[in-house]
Amino acid sequence: EASGGTPEAQAADGRKLDADIAASGEDTPAPDMASGKDSQPDGAGRDTVSDAKASEGGTATAQVSGGHAQGGTAVVNAPGTAKDPREGHGRPAHSEESSGRATGADDAAEAESKRSRGAPVVIERSYVDSSFVLRTRWQTATGEATITEFMPVGDRRASLVRRVECISGTVTIHQEILVRFGYGEAVPWVYRINDEDTGAESIVGMAGPDAIVLHGSRLPMSEHRRHRGDFTMQAGEVVDFELCWFPSHRKVPPMCDVDEKLEETLAYWRNWCSRFPPQGEYHEMVKRSLLVLRALTHESTGGIVAAPTTSLPEQFGGERNWDYRYVWLRDAALTLESMMTHGYEQEALEWRNWLLRAVAGDPEDLQIMYGLAGERQLAERELDQFPGYMDSKPVRVGNGAYGQYQGDVIGEVMVVLEKLRNMGQQEDHFSWPLQKSLLHYAEKHFYNRDHGIWEMRGEKQYFTHSRVMMWAAFDRGVRAVRDHGLDGEDDHWVRLRDELRDEIMEHGFNKEINSFTQTYDNTEVDASLLVIAQVGFVKYDDDLMLGTVARLERDLLDEAGLLMRYRTEAGVDGLAPGEYPFLACSFWLVEQYARSGRIGDARKLMDQLVGYANELGLLSEEYDTANKRMAGNYPQAFSHLALIRAADAINGRAQEAL
């Protein structure tokens, strides 16, 4: 069962694979990055796809397609299933307002249509308890089946386990697997082996440094450079599979004990959540958001990816398609803040240690983002063999923004490390000297224009948000010396801080429009201006801030009441105009409302935003309100981070006190 073929045929198969994924219309399980052993910075060798698609006529199906599909649909849970994390937040989780394109479970109308055609129906999909063990319940014309999928935690191997159980009647399972490495360009050599002890058969695929093995008792057969197969199950039967990646020079790993790994994985997540304190309103969504942040954290290195996907479009059919599988200092710093604010100090320390390793060396080599282990070379390239999600090209690997100068990043890091000190964490011989070097770096670039928080690909500007965050960096340096007794040039940093304040008030606030502005050179506004109050440059209820909020509401709120990042038609970002609302910005607006006394507006907007999560409680980067679907990479750490801050503001949790 060897596979081969011409490069042209391989590319064609890669395009077909991507088209299959894009057409599937199903969400995938949330990736558990805590299990990402031996991962490569650009994800090469991790693009194996197990793609089992629905077939008409009573066949239960399952799919794992690499994280390409999204959605925003609420579902009707079956009796006795796990609680939807959006429930209890001011309106029902399954209201008409929050329903959109189907994700995992079919809505009532779609389910009825499928039943009338004899097609299988997903009647429930949820995580088991507070975990990332995904359980999907299928109903066919002849019976019901449950499919449980998870990535084992703590076993030092990168695998996906799938358990299929027939609950009632008889169910025919169709499975299909197509293995390609190197983003669809490397066709593996595929063969079968038998376990020396048990005699069990497995399928192995190998190409260059990468290999996968599929274990299971009902393996598919080779057919046209992929593997397909059907098998029928009776009530009470259970069939297990494990798809495991391993370095091709190592011995093929045996199949895991599924019962043991399932219990270990559930126990891991139960234990992790046991430290989670009551939150008041939005308890379940805050908990799920913290779980997402943990799942996006690499178990070995502590690096936190912004999202586990690449090139899911910010505008369907457009070019705003980026690779988010890297560690942004900004996002990771905000994650640290959320973790320590909610009782996870150890995770915060792990990230601080990652930061110290990643940025160690000459401060001039500082980057805004790194690979999971601190890799620095993240060159961006385009994968022409793929048509892109919903014809959104190009599909990108790597991210050219790693070479940008963004003046706000040092401030983000210094703000969160100050909060860590306020919680009682002591600096050591490495951590504080490194922070002083970061401040020296900020001083060296004191007068430099930058690309801004949104990584503009147009001309560099003096972005008001960036200048405020630079102010915050020096402010926290001063606090470290005067409040915590650390050594440093506090008088010098005070002068730099005060110079920045005067500059910002002169050039970054426009009295004619009574608002802070996006840049010193225009009168546009930007959602990032909401961060000005978050870092203490002005108070949330300061007239300067309230005027800015009024301008943001006038210029950037869309018809659905969501806040755009900025007006893309203004041309500042150097790209063709058009994108959907960035969810984090609207969560920032919730926080601003709550902190400035507009608690009714805060709750109303928060309930709307929470309703955009799918039934698993996951959020993408943006949301297309017209078509009721998620947009951008998914799940997105930034969206979940901002959700946590917004909930804290509504619940009166004073993060700024830290």
Side-chain angles (χ1 to χ4, degrees):
E1 297 178 350
S3 298
T6 65
E8 291 78 10
Q10 295 176 21
D13 271 1
R15 290 191 292 271
K16 176 62 167 59
L17 169 61
D18 191 73
D20 285 347
I21 292 170
S24 66
E26 298 284 336
D27 275 337
T28 62
D32 177 6
M33 294 302 291
S35 301
K37 314 304 181 299
D38 300 320
S39 60
Q40 301 172 18
D42 67 351
R46 299 297 184 275
D47 47 1
T48 302
V49 174
S50 171
D51 181 13
K53 297 180 289 297
S55 61
E56 301 280 327
T59 301
T61 65
Q63 174 161 332
V64 177
S65 59
H68 284 250
Q70 309 164 74
T73 296
V75 301
V76 178
N77 280 340
T81 59
K83 179 181 179 182
D84 188 304
R86 298 169 300 168
E87 290 179 352
H89 302 327
R91 66 186 174 93
H94 308 307
S95 70
E96 287 298 318
E97 294 177 68
S98 66
S99 64
R101 187 172 63 77
T103 55
D106 302 315
D107 62 25
E110 184 177 3
E112 185 57 36
S113 174
K114 286 185 175 182
R115 288 191 184 97
S116 68
R117 294 180 281 115
V121 176
V122 177
I123 58 176
E124 187 265 331
R125 189 179 74 146
S126 62
Y127 289 126
V128 178
D129 301 326
S130 298
S131 75
F132 282 101
V133 176
L134 182 70
R135 186 159 289 164
T136 307
R137 186 175 168 192
W138 290 84
Q139 185 180 77
T140 77
T142 58
E144 288 190 10
T146 296
I147 296 178
T148 302
E149 297 164 302
F150 65 98
M151 298 182 75
V153 176
D155 62 355
R156 319 310 300 172
R157 58 199 269 166
S159 67
L160 174 67
V161 176
R162 172 177 291 162
R163 166 164 285 180
V164 185
E165 302 175 78
C166 183
I167 305 303
S168 64
T170 62
V171 176
T172 298
I173 304 294
H174 173 73
Q175 58 179 327
E176 178 175 334
I177 181 167
L178 187 156
V179 181
R180 296 292 183 270
F181 297 111
Y183 297 102
E185 294 188 320
V187 179
W189 184 268
V190 180
Y191 59 96
R192 291 178 184 254
I193 62 170
N194 294 94
D195 187 274
E196 296 178 356
D197 298 323
T198 65
E201 191 175 57
S202 300
I203 298 174
V204 177
M206 184 180 300
D210 300 299
I212 62 100
V213 57
L214 176 63
H215 298 296
S217 59
R218 306 286 184 90
L219 296 176
M221 301 303 295
S222 176
E223 180 182 334
H224 304 301
R225 295 158 60 87
R226 65 184 68 198
H227 288 71
R228 292 190 176 101
D230 294 352
F231 59 91
T232 300
M233 300 177 65
Q234 307 292 327
E237 281 191 85
V238 177
V239 178
D240 292 331
F241 299 93
E242 181 188 19
L243 181 67
C244 182
W245 174 89
F246 64 99
S248 60
H249 63 276
R250 295 183 184 171
K251 184 179 179 180
V252 177
M255 185 171 183
C256 69
D257 183 321
V258 174
D259 288 324
E260 177 182 289
K261 293 303 178 186
L262 177 57
E263 181 52 40
E264 286 179 357
T265 301
L266 286 171
Y268 170 86
W269 291 113
R270 280 196 300 266
N271 178 67
W272 196 83
C273 284
S274 66
R275 291 176 280 162
F276 182 66
Q279 299 300 300
E281 294 184 67
Y282 310 101
H283 174 91
E284 291 297 327
M285 280 302 295
V286 172
K287 180 168 69 172
R288 177 51 60 184
S289 293
L290 285 167
L291 282 163
V292 169
L293 299 178
R294 183 66 187 96
L296 293 175
T297 304
H298 194 275
E299 184 180 50
S300 298
T301 69
I304 304 165
V305 294
T309 55
T310 181
S311 302
L312 293 182
E314 296 175 11
Q315 182 185 25
F316 296 106
E319 63 177 324
R320 295 172 182 267
N321 319 313
W322 315 110
D323 190 349
Y324 277 12
R325 299 169 299 165
Y326 303 104
V327 186
W328 270 255
L329 293 185
R330 178 189 304 111
D331 295 25
L334 294 172
T335 299
L336 183 155
E337 176 180 297
S338 295
M339 289 291 184
M340 66 186 181
T341 305
H342 293 84
Y344 293 94
E345 292 87 355
Q346 183 58 43
E347 284 77 3
L349 285 175
E350 288 175 4
W351 180 83
R352 191 193 75 168
N353 293 337
W354 178 93
L355 170 71
L356 297 176
R357 295 193 305 271
V359 305
D362 188 338
E364 275 305 303
D365 296 331
L366 181 75
Q367 297 180 185
I368 65 164
M369 56 191 285
Y370 298 86
L372 276 170
E375 298 90 346
R376 294 172 176 264
Q377 297 301 315
L378 312 177
E380 185 176 301
R381 59 191 175 95
E382 298 179 1
L383 304 180
D384 294 331
Q385 68 267 32
F386 293 129
Y389 183 80
M390 297 187 69
D391 296 320
S392 303
K393 296 193 74 170
V395 174
R396 292 182 169 95
V397 173
N399 197 308
Y402 84 97
Q404 288 187 350
Y405 168 64
Q406 295 177 18
D408 67 300
V409 171
I410 302 299
E412 304 281 4
V413 172
M414 293 298 295
V415 165
V416 76
L417 292 180
E418 167 70 10
K419 292 183 178 182
L420 200 56
R421 283 192 292 272
N422 289 345
M423 292 189 70
Q425 182 59 42
Q426 299 298 311
E427 302 288 356
D428 58 29
H429 66 285
F430 186 13
S431 61
W432 175 239
L434 181 62
Q435 291 172 64
K436 289 195 294 184
S437 73
L438 294 180
L439 290 175
H440 288 307
Y441 171 86
E443 181 179 358
K444 184 173 181 178
H445 295 273
F446 194 84
Y447 297 106
N448 290 15
R449 300 171 187 264
D450 77 322
H451 292 282
I453 184 175
W454 306 128
E455 299 173 356
M456 305 296 197
R457 299 209 170 191
E459 294 297 321
K460 293 180 181 179
Q461 306 277 349
Y462 284 125
F463 287 97
T464 301
H465 167 265
S466 295
R467 305 302 284 174
V468 169
M469 293 311 300
M470 185 174 286
W471 169 91
F474 291 114
D475 179 71
R476 270 46 174 194
V478 173
R479 293 188 192 185
V481 175
R482 297 185 176 180
D483 296 346
H484 297 277
L486 298 172
D487 65 293
E489 305 170 74
D490 55 319
D491 290 337
H492 179 57
W493 293 335
V494 165
R495 287 192 293 274
L496 294 174
R497 181 191 66 183
D498 293 347
E499 181 180 337
L500 277 166
R501 172 172 281 279
D502 293 342
E503 172 200 296
I504 293 163
M505 293 308 303
E506 180 179 356
H507 300 288
F509 186 85
N510 187 300
K511 293 180 181 179
E512 292 184 8
I513 65 172
N514 191 34
S515 173
F516 287 102
T517 56
Q518 181 185 45
T519 73
Y520 287 178
D521 298 326
N522 67 24
T523 57
E524 295 287 327
V525 288
D526 189 303
S528 65
L529 298 172
L530 292 169
V531 178
I532 291 175
Q534 294 178 14
V535 299
F537 185 83
V538 296
K539 294 184 180 299
Y540 288 95
D541 59 356
D542 189 290
D543 287 342
L544 301 177
M545 199 66 218
L546 298 181
T548 301
V549 171
R551 191 75 180 189
L552 289 169
E553 292 172 323
R554 194 197 82 165
D555 290 0
L556 298 185
L557 282 181
D558 72 356
E559 293 180 357
L562 298 187
L563 195 66
M564 306 297 294
R565 290 192 293 177
Y566 51 88
R567 292 193 323 114
T568 57
E569 56 268 32
V572 178
D573 61 15
L575 298 169
E579 68 173 5
Y580 303 107
F582 197 80
L583 291 176
C585 298
S586 293
F587 282 120
W588 285 345
L589 188 57
V590 170
E591 178 179 353
Q592 171 63 36
Y593 284 160
R595 301 289 189 195
S596 61
R598 296 172 60 178
I599 193 66
D601 291 332
R603 285 197 175 96
K604 180 181 178 181
L605 181 54
M606 184 71 168
D607 289 341
Q608 179 181 347
L609 293 167
V610 165
Y612 295 144
N614 65 11
E615 73 276 18
L616 299 178
L618 305 180
L619 289 165
S620 63
E621 180 180 23
E622 300 180 356
Y623 194 79
D624 174 4
T625 54
N627 295 295
K628 296 183 178 179
R629 61 183 178 181
M630 296 189 190
N633 285 300
Y634 161 93
Q636 173 80 349
F638 213 177
S639 297
H640 287 279
L641 286 164
L643 181 154
I644 293 168
R645 286 192 64 108
D648 286 349
I650 290 174
N651 289 324
R653 295 176 64 93
Q655 275 193 341
E656 65 272 16
L658 295 176

